[in-house]
């Protein structure tokens, strides 16, 4: 810096400037102009030379990442690998653009070929981890462009996406693009989802699919693949069952049922805390059963759980039994309305057993609760005897069977007496 100053002192005076001293920019510091066309030409030339040998394609892409700027041109790279060239908005390839047939859209429309292409993407993204986000964005974009692709191109993309979801290369959040209003309205989303879920389930199973959907809160949104006037379990089930995806139909039906059961329990607890009349509660529950196809066994379990959660229980074992009897006596008419079948009564017995075992203060109250429900006609002889004989749970089995021994003997004797009286009457 010093030599520069003395040199400048020997020159004629410089005019003052506002910009300050200017330094020449080094060549390597200049920002390279964004030019995807040149990048595209390099990739297409390399793919053309490798031909349809996908092992060679993977090796070429691996080597090219050291020379070409994948980070900057990720979208162009994935456009080429999927569609054969850079895509214009809407999903079309420009006529004057160079293109290649070494791409997903030009490949055979079968699962085996798409699995081979999935390996190309897997290897590329494993090698260049920074491409993960770019690839996810690319797939979201491609799903929005579905109307611009042919049916065959959509099918290939759906199969490939399903495979990549199965092996974890893609996150299930990309499915948000399928809820685009226009795609849903024209039936494109549902048709695409059929192919996608078939290949996904083929790679894994419905349980693995369910876990992935749950992670991104997509497990309760699948009916949104249809327009609002067709968003029913019945329509979804019919459409996907006919398409050969019965397991997906059953999964959605089950999810809907779980949601309906949670809503029913929440509303029940609110009605109980308000002290609504039992006739109104019973009417509401029966309507929900019919509307959501909920069984009586399921309902009686929900009512039991709701009844037991509406009170603060005494921590002293000797007092809790008395408190429980008083409380349950009040709710007996409600429970009786939903124990019209032997199986419902057995379900209730198992729920009582489970509750008394899980809440240690209730261990000695089990028999008293059962006797109360017997007297209130919530439970009858046959289910109680069946429970005692072979239908009980392992939880607290020895304690509860011992508690019930005398009552069961009394029931058996009463049953024998009534049979003998019936025979004498004949």
């Amino acid at each position: 810096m010093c030599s520069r100053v003395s040199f400048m002192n020997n020159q004629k005076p410089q005019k003052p400037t506002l910009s300050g001293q200017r330094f020449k920019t080094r060549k390597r510091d200049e920002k390279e102009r964004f030019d995807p066309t040149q990048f595209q030409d390099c990739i297409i030339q390399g793919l053309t030379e490798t031909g349809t040998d996908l092992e060679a394609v993977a090796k070429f892409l691996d080597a090219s990442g050291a020379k070409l700027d994948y980070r900057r041109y990720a979208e162009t790279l994935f456009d080429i690998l999927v569609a054969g060239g850079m895509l214009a908005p809407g999903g079309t390839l420009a006529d004057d653009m160079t293109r290649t047939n070494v791409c997903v859209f030009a490949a055979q429309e079968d699962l085996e070929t798409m699995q081979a292409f999935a390996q190309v993407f897997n290897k590329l993204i494993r090698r260049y981890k920074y491409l993960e986000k770019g690839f996810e964005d690319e797939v979201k974009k491609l799903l929005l462009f579905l109307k611009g692709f042919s049916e065959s191109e959509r099918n290939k993309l759906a199969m490939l996406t399903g495979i990549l979801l199965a092996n974890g290369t893609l996150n299930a959040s990309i499915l948000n693009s399928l809820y685009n209003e226009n795609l849903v309205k024209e039936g494109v989303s549902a048709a695409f989802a059929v192919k996608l879920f078939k290949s996904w389930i083929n790679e894994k199973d419905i349980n693995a699919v369910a876990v992935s959907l749950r992670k991104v809160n997509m497990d309760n949104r699948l009916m949104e693949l249809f327009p609002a006037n067709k968003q029913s379990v019945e329509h979804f089930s019919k459409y996907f069952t006919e398409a050969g995806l019965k397991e997906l139909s059953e999964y959605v039906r089950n999810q809907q049922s779980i949601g309906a059961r949670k809503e029913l329990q929440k509303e029940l607890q609110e009605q109980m805390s308000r002290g609504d009349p039992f006739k109104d509660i019973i009417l509401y529950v029966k309507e929900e059963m019919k509307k959501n196809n909920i069984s009586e066994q399921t309902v009686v379990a929900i009512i039991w759980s709701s009844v037991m959660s509406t009170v603060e229980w005494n921590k002293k074992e000797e007092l809790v039994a008395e408190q429980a009897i008083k409380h349950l006596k009040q709710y007996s008419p409600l429970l009786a309305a939903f124990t019209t079948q032997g199986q419902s009564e057995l379900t209730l017995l198992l729920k009582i057993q489970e509750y008394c075992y899980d809440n240690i203060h209730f261990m000695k109250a089990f028999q008293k609760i059962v006797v109360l429900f017997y007297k209130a006609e919530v439970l009858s002889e046959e289910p109680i005897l069946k429970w005692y004989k072979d239908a009980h749970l392992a939880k607290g089995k020895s304690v509860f069977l011992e508690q019930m021994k005398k009552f069961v003997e009394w029931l058996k004797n009463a049953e024998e007496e009534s049979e003998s009286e019936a025979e004498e009457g004949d």
Side-chain angles (χ1 to χ4, degrees):
M1 194 67 178
C2 292
S3 61
R4 183 177 175 84
V5 171
S6 73
F7 172 76
M8 287 178 72
N9 287 339
N10 295 331
Q11 306 302 311
K12 57 184 180 180
Q14 299 287 313
K15 289 182 181 179
T17 61
L18 294 173
S19 58
Q21 198 169 10
R22 296 180 68 183
F23 293 93
K24 189 175 179 182
T25 308
R26 293 180 181 180
K27 192 89 174 171
R28 68 169 181 266
D29 293 335
E30 287 178 8
K31 194 165 185 179
E32 190 185 338
R33 189 167 61 88
F34 184 73
D35 183 16
T37 311
Q38 191 178 354
F39 175 87
Q40 175 183 244
D41 292 343
C42 291
I43 293 292
I44 287 177
Q45 184 184 340
L47 291 175
T48 305
E49 287 170 7
T50 61
T52 54
D53 178 359
L54 294 184
E55 282 287 336
V57 168
K59 285 176 184 173
F60 160 71
L61 292 170
D62 187 297
S64 297
K67 307 170 208 164
L68 300 173
D69 194 350
Y70 281 178
R71 194 184 294 274
R72 174 180 269 204
Y73 299 113
E75 185 178 4
T76 305
L77 173 64
F78 292 128
D79 273 1
I80 295 165
L81 292 175
V82 173
M86 281 193 293
L87 290 167
T92 55
L93 283 169
D95 292 333
D96 57 342
M97 279 284 183
T98 315
R99 62 186 70 189
T100 177
N101 284 328
V102 185
C103 64
V104 172
F105 283 178
Q108 289 275 48
E109 189 185 324
D110 61 65
L111 204 55
E112 193 178 340
T113 305
M114 291 305 107
Q115 285 166 336
F117 263 100
Q119 282 303 309
V120 172
F121 287 103
N122 286 341
K123 287 174 184 174
L124 177 62
I125 291 163
R126 275 205 304 268
R127 177 72 177 83
Y128 301 102
K129 290 286 285 181
Y130 59 79
L131 286 174
E132 272 182 3
K133 178 71 169 65
F135 185 52
E136 201 166 286
D137 291 342
E138 173 73 10
V139 175
K140 288 177 184 175
K141 179 191 79 175
L142 291 169
L143 297 188
L144 291 173
F145 287 174
L146 285 177
K147 281 169 64 180
F149 305 146
S150 69
E151 187 181 350
S152 176
E153 288 168 346
R154 286 180 207 161
N155 290 344
K156 292 171 202 171
L157 181 60
M159 285 189 276
L160 176 69
T161 306
I163 295 162
L164 294 169
L165 282 164
N167 64 30
T169 303
L170 285 174
N171 184 287
S173 61
I174 56 107
L175 298 176
N176 268 310
S177 294
L178 290 180
Y179 300 131
N180 173 273
E181 190 179 348
N182 290 325
L183 295 176
V184 169
K185 189 178 173 184
E186 296 188 27
V188 174
S189 293
F192 185 86
V194 166
K195 291 282 183 185
L196 182 149
F197 279 110
K198 274 188 175 177
S199 69
W200 192 352
I201 293 168
N202 180 68
E203 295 290 311
K204 291 283 188 176
D205 59 34
I206 191 63
N207 296 323
V209 171
V211 169
S212 298
L213 292 173
R214 205 175 300 123
K215 278 181 183 172
V216 293
N217 298 317
M218 205 78 76
D219 48 332
N220 289 314
R221 292 192 61 196
L222 293 180
M223 280 198 286
E224 292 174 41
L225 292 165
F226 297 101
N229 63 339
K230 292 181 178 176
Q231 285 180 17
S232 69
V233 176
E234 287 68 31
H235 180 78
F236 186 98
S237 185
K238 185 173 186 292
Y239 184 91
F240 280 93
T241 300
E242 286 176 359
L245 281 164
K246 190 179 178 186
E247 58 265 71
L248 186 66
S249 301
E250 287 172 352
Y251 167 72
V252 167
R253 190 178 285 281
N254 188 45
Q255 285 300 110
Q256 188 72 4
S257 180
I258 290 168
R261 295 200 296 265
K262 283 181 181 174
E263 192 57 40
L264 173 61
Q265 180 150 8
K266 184 183 169 189
E267 180 58 28
L268 253 178
Q269 286 171 344
E270 286 178 11
Q271 289 177 354
M272 287 176 188
S273 64
R274 288 197 304 263
D276 289 5
F278 286 159
K279 62 179 177 60
D280 293 348
I281 297 176
I282 291 166
L283 185 65
Y284 163 74
V285 172
K286 285 186 174 176
E287 284 174 356
E288 289 299 303
M289 285 172 70
K290 189 176 178 183
K291 186 168 78 176
N292 295 298
N293 197 29
I294 305 173
S295 70
E296 190 179 80
Q297 291 83 49
T298 302
V299 164
V300 81
I302 290 171
I303 293 173
W304 166 260
S305 175
S306 301
V307 166
M308 297 306 280
S309 65
T310 58
V311 67
E312 188 71 39
W313 296 108
N314 200 303
K315 295 290 185 286
K316 293 182 178 177
E317 193 174 16
E318 63 272 16
L319 298 175
V320 81
E322 187 183 334
Q323 186 189 6
I325 296 304
K326 189 177 177 183
H327 179 67
L328 291 170
K329 191 172 184 178
Q330 180 189 345
Y331 283 96
S332 291
L334 180 60
L335 285 158
F338 298 97
T339 49
T340 63
Q341 303 164 17
Q343 194 57 46
S344 306
E345 293 181 50
L346 194 53
T347 299
L348 179 57
L349 272 163
L350 294 172
K351 286 293 169 187
I352 299 167
Q353 180 185 351
E354 198 169 35
Y355 188 90
C356 290
Y357 179 79
D358 292 341
N359 298 273
I360 196 162
H361 300 305
F362 280 82
M363 284 292 280
K364 291 181 180 177
F366 178 76
Q367 185 261 3
K368 291 174 182 172
I369 294 171
V370 175
V371 171
L372 166 72
F373 284 161
Y374 175 74
K375 288 178 179 176
E377 297 186 349
V378 175
L379 298 173
S380 55
E381 294 90 339
E382 196 177 328
I384 294 172
L385 294 173
K386 182 168 176 54
W387 172 88
Y388 186 83
K389 185 183 177 186
D390 56 20
H392 47 259
L393 300 170
K395 291 180 173 182
K397 169 182 156 184
S398 57
V399 175
F400 299 135
L401 290 179
E402 183 60 36
Q403 278 183 35
M404 291 290 290
K405 194 173 180 181
K406 286 182 181 177
F407 181 61
V408 166
E409 283 172 6
W410 180 84
L411 281 179
K412 285 178 179 175
N413 292 334
E415 197 174 35
E416 285 167 10
E417 282 175 23
S418 61
E419 282 174 6
S420 62
E421 282 173 13
E423 284 171 13
E424 284 172 16
D426 289 342

